[in-house]
Amino acid sequence: MNKSDPWAAFAEIIRDPWSKIKDIKAKTGKKIIGHILPDVPEELIHAAGAIPVAIAGAGIPISLAQAHIPGYSCSHAMGALELRLNGELNVLDGMIIPYVCDTTRNLYHLWKNLFPDSPCEFLRLPKKIGDSNANQYLKEEYLRISKWLEEITGEKIVDETLGSSILIYNNSRDQLRSAYHMMEISPSSWTASRVISLFESAFRIPREEHLTLLERLPWNVMEETGTGRSRIYVKGKVWDPLEVTDLFDEYGFTLVGDEIVTGKRSVAIDPTIQKDLLQALVDRHMSLIPYTGYHVDPEQMIGDFITRVENSNAQGVVFLNPKFCEAAAFDTPDMILGLKEKSIPSLVLETSSRGTSLSQIRLRLEAFKEILSDDLP
Amino acid sequence: MEPIKALKKIKKITMDYFTAAHMAPNDHKPVVYCNVFTPVELIYAMDMFPVYPENHAAIIGARKMTTELSSAAEGMGYVMDLCSYARCDIGSIKLGMSPTWGLPKPDLILVINCQCGTLTKWFEVLSRKYNAPMVLIDIPHSGNGEQDVAAETYVRHQLEGLIKTLESISGKSLDEAKFKEVMNLSKQASELWTKMLIMGEQIPAPMTVFDQFVSMFPIVSQRGTETAVNFYGNLVQELEERVAMKIPAVDNEKFRLFWDNLPIWSDLSKLSGFLAERRASVVTSIYTWAWSQLAVNEQDPLSDWTRQYLYTFNLNFDYRVEKYIELARRYRVDGFLFHSNRSCKWISQDVFALRDTITKRTGIPGVIFEADQNDTRLYSFENLEKQIESFLELLETRSGHV
Ligand code: SF4
Ligand code: SF4
């Protein structure tokens, strides 16, 4: 690791998260719980004395998984399965797959079938957002998952531990919010690529350690008077391919908002420290920007999205849609229509580890930049 | 091969249904879009009219209109990887082309997600298009089908809420006597449907799953009506006669096969003919069995539905394996045809594990072929034929069929 470059540590974690986590496990003796994105409450895992690690399937070259899941599945599911089959995930002591779509549901079944001896739980997230019965159910579900975690770690989740876990995560979210802001005010040093690496890596090592690494960053930089930059808003699941953030920098795009599950959405809301901490986690989940697999009033879903984009003051929207993700693909056309009505241009990039061509993305971003800059004749 | 006479009525039943659907607004019956497992008995009991976009899409597939209609949806931005039912339905609205003169506009959109998640997203599109309110009955998935008491409470509350919504849209209260009558008719239809399926156990089978697919329309959309009871009553009677006279569905039945997943509507008769020529009778399928378990008791229908949605229709891997093995034994099948359906990821993504587990446990082989329920652009029928042909050759060598 390059000690003089405070950004290098984050890039290194993303490049090879599993070696790092093996070292941490050896050093701390803590249990490692893997989770598929999005929306597994890391605070609960942390409060049970384990280390949560997000599993990013996107971008993983697929070979072994092909024999177990059809090729018309998204790269998140295929990649996660590949990592388990090629042994990378042997470090895990347990695994949580959330119910966000048919694919994660099937992934859970496959996991149980292929690896019957690996502890794996299915987080039964209700699909309804903003519904009191769903809130009640989610709380019961968090309780059930808590018990499962306690069995794995042998540690009880009590108010004290959960409270301090929430504080650590709130602190981390606060820092990451500041980092996002830095990207807006000082885009030449706090580039999109660098800042997103902070977000991505936060999900892959203990947050305490991540917070220490964040302290080393150059927080005291001058504000820039950005010229020639275009403000964009990104909608999608994860930063896939990750190199897209380099291209944002290269073409002078400034990220002013996003709904990526390892992006601004993940730090937008903190659970409040209150008497009922589990309820605080439920409230946080229900207040997040609804993930595409969930259900809210259909008209409101589009309207709220347009409002978020407008409030961000973005000039354009980039959709990073994972190929074979039904949920995202159903939402996109009406979102684009809604944007058109407000004269906000958008660009859909369909991303997949098996078929995303960076050069094509580059070309399309270049054309999009021209549209946003009004440079066209 | 002697065709089943009772099936001839299906065309008229379908057309009468769609005529009534289009007349529903004139008859002051609110139109409710729903999916195959919604508690349609409540809708009929409230004097509302249930309409099934899935059925509409299947008919589009069977009439070979998929390419034109789904291309229209793709032109609107609905990518080709999406379920072809949804693409066909959305494209049909866009072009105003449909074998059923379209569908009447909905007053309510109702979806139960123990089926797939796709339906919720597809119906959200419809809800926006028609500016119609939408109700999702959200069914948590307990992974392996283990009891989830909290989910039972959650689902029951939603069903109670649904009754209130239906009452407010129809402007009527649920009439208990009418509801009981509808539940009773639904139960009768479901029992007759089951009786029909069981007849496939006979050797030779009097009916194939292709005939079952053709006969599905009333059990899906008209449970709770006299039409369904009469249709299946006649069908069962005719099948009993065929069994007594040993009239087979496939002449000189040689192979008995199991069909997994949805039918391939666009190539249904082609595939059925292809198999019949090779003396292969597809005698059962998990798909058609789903409708045998839909009846509820009048004592406590909401609890019955809650259990069905959570533990029966909420398919899980272990349940599927057990059910396939049970059916394979009962129907004495020689092999499995696994349709790996690009459209229906929900029911297809564990196909490799399913095949391997079942073959390991029973010794019965299965062939997996990739196709699509509607969209012929996504597979090659010739390849599919070749795969099935080789599979039948394998079966021949295995069991010494003559
Ligand atoms: S990308 Fe889409 S299909 Fe894949 S796991 Fe996420 S929600 Fe499901
Ligand atoms: S995904 Fe499958 S179950 Fe869902 S609507 Fe499409 S075909 Fe039907």
Side-chain angles (χ1 to χ4, degrees), chain A residues 72 127-128 137 295 326, chain B residues 118 124 128 136 138 148 340:
Chain A
Y72 46 80
K127 297 290 185 69
K128 278 180 161 173
Y137 178 71
H295 172 73
E326 298 237 335
Chain B
T118 292
E124 282 173 1
R128 285 191 291 269
L136 165 69
D138 180 25
D148 184 342
S340 174

Side-chain angles (χ1 to χ4, degrees), chain B residues 69-299:
Chain B
L69 299 189
S70 57
S71 302
E74 287 148 28
M76 296 161 74
Y78 296 97
V79 296
M80 214 169 171
D81 300 319
L82 288 172
C83 168
S84 53
Y85 272 1
R87 280 183 284 129
C88 285
D89 183 51
I90 293 169
S92 161
I93 300 168
K94 169 83 181 166
L95 294 186
M97 269 173 67
S98 152
T100 65
W101 322 291
L103 296 178
K105 290 203 171 84
D107 296 288
L108 174 70
I109 293 184
L110 171 63
V111 64
I112 292 217
N113 66 4
C114 60
Q115 202 177 328
C116 63
T118 292
L119 270 158
T120 308
K121 304 310 288 181
W122 166 14
F123 280 28
E124 282 173 1
V125 174
L126 298 179
S127 164
R128 285 191 291 269
K129 212 159 266 320
Y130 291 117
N131 198 15
M134 175 166 172
V135 172
L136 165 69
I137 306 289
D138 180 25
I139 312 293
H141 184 70
S142 69
N144 301 314
E146 61 267 28
Q147 197 185 10
D148 184 342
V149 178
E152 287 174 18
T153 311
Y154 178 39
V155 173
R156 205 193 155 88
H157 279 147
Q158 294 180 80
L159 290 171
E160 285 162 359
L162 172 65
I163 295 177
K164 289 199 187 101
T165 306
L166 294 176
E167 287 179 334
S168 107
I169 289 180
S170 68
K172 294 178 190 164
S173 317
L174 180 64
D175 175 342
E176 285 297 328
K178 178 109 194 265
F179 186 30
K180 280 184 183 163
E181 186 192 320
V182 173
M183 278 190 284
N184 188 22
L185 285 169
S186 177
K187 196 168 188 174
Q188 284 180 48
S190 192
E191 281 165 4
L192 285 165
W193 174 262
T194 310
K195 224 170 167 178
M196 174 198 90
L197 297 180
I198 290 173
M199 273 187 234
E201 290 179 14
Q202 299 293 325
I203 297 181
M207 181 188 210
T208 66
V209 295
F210 297 105
D211 302 316
Q212 293 171 10
F213 294 151
V214 171
S215 70
M216 267 171 54
F217 188 78
I219 196 71
V220 174
S221 56
Q222 284 161 296
R223 294 194 308 278
T225 68
E226 299 272 3
T227 310
V229 175
N230 294 339
F231 173 72
Y232 294 114
N234 286 336
L235 181 57
V236 165
Q237 199 186 344
E238 187 181 342
L239 290 174
E240 279 169 347
E241 287 162 17
R242 284 172 80 106
V243 168
M245 292 159 71
K246 288 211 169 295
I247 300 176
V250 163
D251 290 337
N252 301 316
E253 178 185 291
K254 182 172 164 187
F255 305 109
R256 294 171 64 81
L257 304 176
F258 180 111
W259 180 270
D260 177 45
N261 214 301
L262 272 75
I264 303 176
W265 292 113
S266 322
D267 283 322
L268 197 67
S269 56
K270 221 156 109 186
L271 186 58
S272 140
F274 173 83
L275 286 162
E277 273 170 31
R278 283 149 188 83
R279 295 164 57 197
S281 189
V282 187
V283 291
T284 192
S285 156
I286 185 104
Y287 184 62
T288 47
W289 266 97
W291 284 272
S292 68
Q293 294 149 308
L294 280 164
V296 286
N297 292 306
E298 55 182 50
Q299 290 77 11

Side-chain angles (χ1 to χ4, degrees), chain A residues 66-74 99 102-106 108-110 112-113 121-122 124-128 131 133-134 137 140-141 144 291-296 298-299 301-302 323-327 329-331 333-334 350, chain B residues 76-79 81-83 86 113-118 120-122 124-125 127-128 134 136 138-144 146 148 150-151 154 157-158 314-317 340-343 345-346 348-353 357 370:
Chain A
Q66 285 177 94
H68 300 282
I69 188 166
Y72 46 80
S73 307
C74 75
Y99 184 23
D102 298 335
T103 298
T104 58
R105 167 178 165 157
N106 284 326
Y108 171 75
H109 289 149
L110 288 175
K112 292 296 276 187
N113 182 261
E121 252 303 339
F122 193 51
R124 307 163 193 173
L125 293 174
K127 297 290 185 69
K128 278 180 161 173
D131 173 279
N133 293 316
Y137 178 71
E140 299 277 358
E141 183 56 8
R144 193 184 66 82
Y291 182 61
T292 178
Y294 308 150
H295 172 73
V296 287
E299 199 65 56
M301 179 178 78
I302 304 293
K323 189 162 171 64
F324 302 117
C325 174
E326 298 237 335
F330 271 112
D331 289 347
D334 280 343
E350 205 178 50
Chain B
M76 296 161 74
Y78 296 97
V79 296
D81 300 319
L82 288 172
C83 168
N113 66 4
C114 60
Q115 202 177 328
C116 63
T118 292
T120 308
K121 304 310 288 181
W122 166 14
E124 282 173 1
V125 174
S127 164
R128 285 191 291 269
M134 175 166 172
L136 165 69
D138 180 25
I139 312 293
H141 184 70
S142 69
N144 301 314
E146 61 267 28
D148 184 342
Y154 178 39
H157 279 147
Q158 294 180 80
N314 210 344
L315 283 181
N316 66 70
F317 187 80
S340 174
N341 183 354
R342 290 182 71 97
S343 266
K345 298 170 184 71
W346 166 60
S348 303
Q349 279 170 324
D350 47 9
V351 68
F352 299 119
T357 311
E370 202 167 296

